[in-house]
Amino acid sequence: MSKVWTNAGLTTVNALFREACAERPDRIYLDFSGQTFTYAQVDDEVARLATGLKALGVERGDRVCSVLENGPDGVFVWFAVNRLGAIHVPINTDYKGEFLRHQLNDSGSRIVVVESEYARRVAAVEDGIPALEVMLHRGAAPDVDTRLMLATLDSIRLEPAEDVEVEVAPSDLAMLIYTSGTTGPSKGCMMSHSYAVHLGWQNNCISQAGPDDVIWTPCPLFHAGAVCGVVISALIGNSIGSIYPRFSVSNF
């Protein structure tokens, strides 16, 4: 057990995904309520977004925020950001006003990826976020007055012309996941690649999920329970990660 634990600490989210793609490219990896993606398909989506983000100037150590509902792009954006050696900052989709301003500003992000319906929330607080320059939106163009460069997420899905992956270490940050802020403004928890992999490994040890299993969650992709407990854990166990839009008592 200790040997497995040690090995888990000597890898990264990027390396774990890269190895899985090489071993099982045609295996279904993610399932979003019936919309499935193989490892090869996820890799292609990630490569295209990483190419587009690089064209926007994203480099190692940069932070990229997302305010996205549970869906494929929630994972694709995260993996694309990490592929560039940058840090993903997923934000609670219910946040607005000062709660939203604090996390966008505190993270020092220059780019935010949002659902179109949340663009107005960002525009309403953008004056208090001097580092923010670009807002990429999913879906129809939002009717919003903003100083930010506004573009669709689809517009940066570029055909990968080169290998843009930046080599990262297990100790490098993969994500900033903010606390709920019960004792004051939310704090950004610095989650390294090693920590993310370990958390996924721990979940896998508890669940014992393997190739014949599906790991299902209604938890949001701005929370470690979904990103590590399902997306990473499925990578480790060769399981299918199934992500539901959000928890519903009547549909459960």
Side-chain angles (χ1 to χ4, degrees):
M1 184 70 74
S2 61
K3 183 178 179 181
V4 176
W5 176 271
T6 301
N7 286 344
L10 295 177
T11 192
T12 65
V13 174
N14 297 5
L16 197 66
F17 178 64
R18 185 171 62 241
E19 291 163 7
C21 287
E23 292 172 359
R24 43 187 188 270
D26 298 324
R27 163 85 173 171
I28 292 177
Y29 171 32
L30 297 174
D31 181 348
F32 294 87
S33 301
Q35 183 183 13
T36 61
F37 295 86
T38 65
Y39 281 93
Q41 288 171 326
V42 174
D43 188 43
D44 180 65
E45 294 286 348
V46 171
R48 294 172 66 196
L49 282 175
T51 301
L53 289 170
K54 182 178 180 180
L56 288 175
V58 176
E59 299 178 342
R60 175 192 289 274
D62 288 346
R63 278 78 65 201
V64 177
C65 284
S66 67
V67 191
L68 296 172
E69 297 290 353
N70 276 8
D73 283 332
V75 177
F76 300 160
V77 169
W78 161 29
F79 280 11
V81 170
N82 279 181
R83 184 165 290 191
L84 296 172
I87 302 162
H88 184 221
V89 188
I91 292 179
N92 190 322
T93 54
D94 287 330
Y95 279 5
K96 56 186 177 181
E98 291 305 315
F99 289 96
L100 178 60
R101 188 203 308 268
H102 168 70
Q103 294 190 10
L104 288 169
N105 187 52
D106 185 70
S107 66
S109 297
R110 190 173 63 85
I111 297 174
V112 61
V113 185
V114 303
E115 303 288 351
S116 289
E117 64 215 72
Y118 301 144
R120 286 190 177 184
R121 296 185 190 176
V122 174
V125 298
E126 65 184 30
D127 288 342
I129 315 169
L132 195 62
E133 298 176 358
V134 179
M135 178 159 52
L136 302 172
H137 63 84
R138 292 185 69 253
D143 181 14
V144 62
D145 182 20
T146 177
R147 66 167 175 80
L148 304 175
M149 171 189 159
L150 191 64
T152 66
L153 184 61
D154 283 343
S155 70
I156 70 159
R157 296 182 199 271
L158 305 180
E159 289 299 322
E162 58 178 323
D163 182 7
V164 299
E165 184 161 348
V166 172
E167 196 62 36
V168 294
S171 58
D172 288 338
L173 294 187
M175 288 173 275
L176 292 177
I177 293 187
Y178 278 79
T179 67
S180 58
T182 51
T183 58
S186 299
K187 288 83 175 173
C189 296
M190 298 185 292
M191 184 177 290
S192 68
H193 281 263
S194 176
Y195 185 94
V197 171
H198 270 120
L199 190 52
W201 177 83
Q202 286 178 311
N203 276 270
N204 190 258
C205 286
I206 294 168
S207 70
Q208 295 294 298
D212 296 326
D213 295 307
V214 175
I215 311 174
W216 181 88
T217 186
C219 294
L221 286 168
F222 56 76
H223 190 278
V227 297
C228 297
V230 174
V231 179
I232 297 296
S233 188
L235 270 178
I236 293 171
N238 190 13
S239 309
I240 295 175
S242 180
I243 301 166
Y244 196 67
R246 62 170 56 207
F247 180 72
S248 165
V249 174
S250 60
N251 289 335
F252 184 75

